[in-house]
Amino acid sequence: MKGCVFMDSISNEDDPSSLPPLCLSRDTLRFQYTCKGGLRSAIRVARVVVETVALNHSNVRWYVFGDDDTIFLPENLVKTLSKYDHELWYYIGAHSEIYEQNRLFGFGMAFDGAGFAISSSLANVLAKVFDSCLERYHHLYGSDGRVYSCLAELGVGLIHVPAFHQVDLTGNIFGLLAAHPVTPLLSLHHPDFTDPIFPNMTTTQALQHLFKAVNVGSQRMLQQTICYEKWFSWTISVSWGYAVQVFPSHNMFLPDVVNVQETFKQWKQGNVWAKTYTFNTRPLHHDPCKRSTIFYSDNMSFGEDGMIKSYYNKSFQNCSKELGSLNKLEVIKVFTNKLDLDIKQLQAPRRQCCDVLPSSASDQLEIGVRECKDKELIFMH
């Protein structure tokens, strides 16, 4: 992978050794910008597509673009893009989580905060015609709208991949992360507009903590598996590398568990569409004692047998009721193999299964994650 951060100016005070490669974007004053309330810097940002191709790196397969507050998982990007032929024309990304944002800017547009990818064969053509598109689309608000419009004129539509995350949300995005789609996590966005994703940490500390898990098992990151503890009638949701949830004395159907909990707040105040999401949600229960008990990722390690052992510690729960054995539970251990998806698994993904394993300690629960058997169903037996 190669690349750079595009700047509109570079200070002599910057220490190059502490920064990624920097590129100076070219002047765009010759292009009109007529969107009231917008920023003409959108033209500079859009034209990064042209200027990146002009860097003329050899053997490029894909060009990937994002904002200055977009967080990428490089290994997962490479793995996911490998299922597409870069010699064909591909425009790959995701739209916003908010219906209103998509209604305004287009359901067919890849939001650049989430990040998007363009195959090299398409990018080489787009770079040759893009300036003429900039002249026609001077009325648009953002950079991503200009890229989308020019690709539309070339006859290319968006391949939607929900693992790119625009995160047009505020507050606690636990519900979004804990119910990730069955596909490798590719990006996160807007970390300064949301709460730290781990408790008792700053935003930077929380992201660094997340990447400890990414560095151990990138492709398994946030992958959600569901299993059931029969004796106590617990429903258990494992979002690997992030959190484990235990739902007390409540056998939940799997389609209900994988719906996104509304732990977050809407991006903007407005009409009903401003708080309408593009995925199925379930409300956060008003009674804390009827919510799941959350165990956040603490650390993980490889065993001698190649298994990954990850530890999840109980988070504070604002509930004074006696929940029996769940009150005693302090640590959950999860055992799994390193995930390395092949091309067929990428093309036809399937959620994995998990089992509650025997544990010798009353304050611990052990779970094994594995591939499901051919005819195996995930439900309370």
Side-chain angles (χ1 to χ4, degrees), residues 310-374:
S310 51
Y311 296 82
Y312 301 78
N313 293 337
K314 182 189 280 185
S315 178
F316 169 75
Q317 186 176 22
N318 186 23
C319 173
S320 58
K321 291 182 181 178
E322 175 59 45
L323 297 177
S325 296
L326 189 51
N327 274 356
K328 300 175 184 176
L329 201 58
E330 295 294 333
V331 177
I332 295 179
K333 300 179 184 178
V334 177
F335 301 87
T336 185
N337 290 315
K338 187 177 177 68
L339 188 63
D340 187 11
L341 299 168
D342 60 32
I343 190 68
K344 290 184 178 179
Q345 290 172 309
L346 289 166
Q347 291 172 336
R350 185 186 181 191
R351 191 182 306 278
Q352 293 204 331
C353 292
C354 58
D355 305 298
V356 177
L357 306 175
S359 178
S360 56
S362 61
D363 65 343
Q364 294 185 8
L365 184 70
E366 297 188 1
I367 295 172
V369 178
R370 56 174 175 79
E371 287 190 9
C372 298
K373 300 169 186 175
D374 280 352

Side-chain angles (χ1 to χ4, degrees), residues 159-170:
I159 302 295
H160 182 256
V161 176
F164 288 104
H165 294 284
Q166 172 70 10
V167 195
D168 280 342
L169 305 166
T170 62

Side-chain angles (χ1 to χ4, degrees), residues 89-196:
W89 286 11
Y90 279 111
Y91 168 47
I92 300 172
H95 46 58
S96 173
E97 296 83 3
I98 305 298
Y99 180 90
E100 179 71 354
Q101 293 287 95
N102 298 310
R103 187 187 70 81
L104 289 173
F105 298 110
F107 280 89
M109 184 188 83
F111 280 63
D112 55 9
F116 62 90
I118 301 176
S119 58
S120 56
S121 56
L122 175 57
N124 289 329
V125 174
L126 178 63
K128 294 173 183 176
V129 301
F130 196 62
D131 283 353
S132 69
C133 293
L134 288 178
E135 292 171 356
R136 277 189 297 284
Y137 292 102
H138 54 84
H139 59 285
L140 295 181
Y141 173 80
S143 58
D144 39 15
R146 288 165 166 78
V147 174
Y148 159 60
S149 298
C150 202
L151 288 171
E153 288 193 0
L154 283 171
V156 179
L158 175 68
I159 302 295
H160 182 256
V161 176
F164 288 104
H165 294 284
Q166 172 70 10
V167 195
D168 280 342
L169 305 166
T170 62
N172 181 5
I173 61 169
F174 174 86
L176 180 75
L177 300 181
H180 194 270
V182 187
T183 183
L185 171 67
L186 299 180
S187 72
L188 295 171
H189 184 221
H190 284 147
D192 292 329
F193 290 87
T194 58
D195 297 340

Side-chain angles (χ1 to χ4, degrees), residues 261-263 282-292 317-319 321:
Q261 293 181 80
E262 288 190 46
T263 59
R282 54 188 169 92
L284 192 64
H285 204 287
H286 67 276
D287 182 355
C289 296
K290 293 186 179 179
R291 298 175 189 170
S292 63
Q317 186 176 22
N318 186 23
C319 173
K321 291 182 181 178

Side-chain angles (χ1 to χ4, degrees), residues 198 201 208-210 212-213 241-244 295-301 309-314 330-332:
F198 287 101
M201 296 185 189
Q208 290 171 339
H209 188 63
L210 184 79
K212 291 177 183 177
Y242 180 51
V244 178
F295 297 74
Y296 282 100
S297 174
D298 181 36
N299 62 72
M300 52 195 61
S301 61
K309 183 190 297 184
S310 51
Y311 296 82
Y312 301 78
N313 293 337
K314 182 189 280 185
E330 295 294 333
V331 177
I332 295 179

